[in-house]
Amino acid sequence: MTGGEPASARISSPAGERGMARSDSVSASARLPIVLLEGVTKEFGSLRVLDSVGFRVFPGQRIVIIGPSGSGKSTLLRCINGLERVTSGRVTVDGMVVGDRGTPMVQVRSEVGMVFQQFNLFPHKTVVENITLGPVRVRGVSRKEANRQAMELLDRVGLPEKAHEYPIRLSGGQQQRVAIARALAMRPKVMLFDEPTSALDPELIGEVLEVMRELAHEGMTMLVVTHEMAFAEDIADTVLVMDQGQIVEEGPPSKIFNNPDTPRARAFLSRLLERSRRHEKV
Amino acid sequence: MRWDFLSSYIPVLTDAAVMTLRLSIIAFLAGLMLGFFVAIGRMLGGRAVDAVLRAPVDVLRGTPLLVQLLAWYLVSSALGLPLSPFAAAAIGLSVNAGAFISEIVWGGLASIARGQREAALSIGLSAAYSIFAIELPQAVPAIVPALIGFYIGLIKDTSLAYILGLYELTRTAKLISEREFRPLEIYLVIAGIYFLMCFPLSRLVAVVDRRARSKGMAQARITI
């Protein structure tokens, strides 16, 4: 890994001490960014939710985005797979400009998996139908092959026995693990997680984080919006702190959590730490 | 009250009941097609399509059906393409039903959480596929009782076709009462016939509703 890449000016190299130890695919494929944001601004009416945000994500990178609510974290993820149209600036995924006339959204979305806070499983379809819908309808995989892959994925998220249940019969944690399997079934190159554990009861959070941790170890490129600091510290190679639609600080978790440079990052982190301490006491 | 005159009118009343049912079924089926088309068009077409489709819906919902039926008949004559009274009634009722049904279907679709569409899009499915295969099936438990309720209203609304001279139940009753001078009896009889047509349907609404509820699927109530 050479240090002279322009990319590493914006974002710390994925081959930092944490990244390197995890996965050797990182250094091999780290030349071209898989996701590239340039001056991305998003406005809802007069409200500016994202304010010329720019960063790069390299294959194998695991980026955790933190920041106060309303700081634009979710909107940022949603701009990457085109659920929100950017007001100005440019989002590029695997060389395709998102929202461009020439770019088929289907292709962008097949390469970007997304996991939502509210799981959003299809309630009228069984677990295995939820997982196979994308591969069969979009990727053109045969039903038999899609079912086989779905069972493999269910094994990976630890729910093979739930294949033919309807989502309503599953706990929140199980639903979220199915939602992860559904996203993975499209064989995406990047996975976006939008507060995947925020809607879960505390005792169900661990099982979801465990699945995500495993994904990270397998070398999946991940962007995670979360308030789970221990998890962030454990899996992230880069942490972005957002506030008022801007990235106010970015760096390796050890730096961000222990010694943030900017006052805004410091203020947010101290509030967060205080909250999690309060939780531990309870 | 005297009822003996009635027996000679049974064939006439049967024809009238058939006319009422025919009009209501035609209007309901055509209204379903129109209504689904408009509702889904509004959902898929973006803001411009939504505005264009909403204007006629608002007009149709905001003017008396009686006036609409007359308008179809009179305007078609004025334009030199006169519709028969039956055609004018059938078209008028159908278009009006389409407007109301589009609101029912649109309301059902709008009651489905946004996350469903987003989840479908995020795995690469199209918005159209999402509406037909993901959102509509979930909206059915909310839509069906409202549609049955609307059909009940439609059966009674066909009585307005009397203004075009069609011998459906209401106009037939008027005719008989003028001949026999027994308005009370004959209007009671046709009220009974309307009731027999509608009552089983209103029971059906309750059954469909209960079944949807027991599956945990009945969400928002749709009112129009």
Side-chain angles (χ1 to χ4, degrees):
Chain A
M1 184 79 197
T2 58
E5 280 187 42
S8 49
R10 263 313 260 154
I11 272 198
S12 68
S13 154
E17 65 277 49
R18 302 176 71 83
M20 202 59 165
R22 287 268 155 60
S23 147
D24 35 18
S25 71
V26 172
S27 53
S29 50
R31 274 170 286 275
L32 282 170
I34 181 88
V35 176
L36 172 64
L37 275 79
E38 296 163 288
V40 169
T41 296
K42 173 69 188 176
E43 287 164 357
F44 292 109
S46 62
L47 186 70
R48 181 167 285 202
V49 186
L50 291 178
D51 192 359
S52 55
V53 171
F55 71 89
R56 295 154 192 246
V57 184
F58 291 93
Q61 250 195 315
R62 296 169 299 278
I63 294 179
V64 167
I65 305 172
I66 60 174
S69 61
S71 59
K73 309 180 296 282
S74 293
T75 309
L76 184 69
L77 291 192
R78 296 161 60 85
C79 285
I80 294 174
N81 75 345
L83 283 182
E84 302 288 354
R85 197 176 273 271
V86 302
T87 309
S88 64
R90 197 158 75 146
V91 178
T92 315
V93 172
D94 202 20
M96 300 176 282
V97 178
V98 179
D100 208 32
R101 271 175 195 283
T103 306
M105 282 314 291
V106 174
Q107 210 160 329
V108 171
R109 288 177 177 144
S110 318
E111 307 220 337
V112 181
M114 182 147 185
V115 175
F116 301 86
Q117 188 177 344
Q118 300 295 340
F119 333 135
N120 296 347
L121 292 180
F122 307 130
H124 61 304
K125 295 192 177 291
T126 63
V127 163
V128 78
E129 286 167 352
N130 264 277
I131 299 173
T132 54
L133 191 58
V136 170
R137 303 284 323 179
V138 181
R139 283 240 191 258
V141 177
S142 74
R143 181 156 297 282
K144 201 172 152 215
E145 175 60 14
N147 280 335
R148 197 188 60 71
Q149 289 172 2
M151 290 313 296
E152 248 176 54
L153 285 165
L154 281 173
D155 265 334
R156 256 168 91 182
V157 300
L159 293 168
E161 75 284 1
K162 302 289 186 190
H164 301 290
E165 295 279 9
Y166 283 91
I168 197 159
R169 302 275 306 268
L170 271 53
S171 73
Q174 292 171 333
Q175 289 192 45
Q176 193 61 300
R177 282 145 70 195
V178 172
I180 294 172
R182 177 175 68 179
L184 289 174
M186 292 299 289
R187 302 188 179 281
K189 293 184 178 162
V190 188
M191 284 283 284
L192 311 177
F193 293 86
D194 188 4
E195 302 204 27
T197 58
S198 297
L200 294 175
D201 290 337
E203 75 270 20
L204 302 177
I205 290 175
E207 59 191 71
V208 173
L209 293 182
E210 195 43 50
V211 168
M212 291 171 64
R213 212 168 258 133
E214 225 150 86
L215 262 183
H217 286 301
E218 288 163 16
M220 174 60 79
T221 311
M222 297 163 71
L223 272 95
V224 186
V225 171
T226 185
H227 295 295
E228 297 293 327
M229 290 305 128
F231 172 77
E233 217 166 347
D234 189 19
I235 70 132
D237 46 58
T238 304
V239 176
L240 303 182
V241 186
M242 287 191 72
D243 191 25
Q244 294 172 19
Q246 293 172 320
I247 296 174
V248 292
E249 191 162 342
E250 58 189 82
S254 53
K255 168 89 174 79
I256 300 277
F257 291 137
N258 299 322
N259 191 18
D261 291 327
T262 59
R264 281 203 278 182
R266 219 171 293 151
F268 171 69
L269 283 161
S270 71
R271 278 202 306 277
L272 206 63
L273 277 176
E274 205 176 298
R275 203 187 59 175
S276 61
R277 260 191 225 115
R278 266 206 312 275
H279 276 292
E280 276 161 24
K281 273 185 198 151
V282 173
Chain B
M1 281 195 269
R2 280 181 41 214
W3 302 93
D4 50 326
F5 71 94
L6 267 177
S7 56
S8 59
Y9 287 106
I10 286 174
V12 181
L13 283 169
T14 307
D15 284 352
V18 168
M19 172 63 90
T20 290
L21 281 177
R22 246 171 90 195
L23 272 177
S24 69
I25 290 170
I26 290 172
F28 189 59
L29 294 181
L32 276 178
M33 282 191 273
L34 262 174
F36 270 87
F37 180 79
V38 168
I40 289 166
R42 281 181 60 191
M43 276 279 161
L44 276 176
R47 240 173 251 174
V49 175
D50 187 49
V52 168
L53 289 176
R54 227 170 115 175
V57 169
D58 285 340
V59 171
L60 288 162
R61 294 179 63 205
T63 53
L65 178 56
L66 188 74
V67 175
Q68 289 173 31
L69 295 182
L70 272 176
W72 282 101
Y73 186 69
L74 297 175
V75 171
S76 67
S77 301
L79 292 176
L81 294 161
L83 292 167
S84 71
F86 180 81
I91 292 173
L93 284 164
S94 299
V95 171
N96 184 265
F100 279 94
I101 290 173
S102 80
E103 289 289 291
I104 292 173
V105 175
W106 193 86
L109 286 172
S111 75
I112 304 302
R114 250 184 78 170
Q116 290 292 308
R117 171 87 58 92
E118 293 179 348
L121 292 177
S122 78
I123 52 174
L125 297 167
S126 66
Y129 185 84
S130 172
I131 286 187
F132 284 104
I134 305 291
E135 295 161 60
L136 261 183
Q138 295 181 56
V140 160
I143 290 175
V144 168
L147 284 180
I148 300 173
F150 177 76
Y151 182 63
I152 292 170
L154 186 56
I155 290 175
K156 292 174 288 179
D157 282 348
T158 55
S159 64
L160 296 174
Y162 87 90
I163 195 96
L164 300 180
L166 285 183
Y167 283 100
E168 42 65 62
L169 279 170
T170 303
R171 188 177 162 91
T172 305
K174 185 163 179 283
L175 180 89
I176 296 173
S177 81
E178 280 164 3
R179 273 210 200 159
E180 301 287 338
F181 304 108
R182 308 246 50 111
L184 179 59
E185 286 88 341
I186 190 61
Y187 280 116
L188 275 175
V189 166
I190 66 149
I193 298 175
Y194 279 119
F195 180 76
L196 285 177
M197 290 176 179
C198 296
F199 181 70
L201 290 171
S202 53
R203 299 305 307 158
L204 184 63
V205 173
V207 172
V208 170
D209 228 30
R210 209 172 31 243
R211 285 188 51 183
R213 232 169 261 286
S214 71
K215 284 187 192 163
M217 281 182 80
Q219 311 101 332
R221 272 246 140 278
I222 300 177
T223 50
I224 52 166

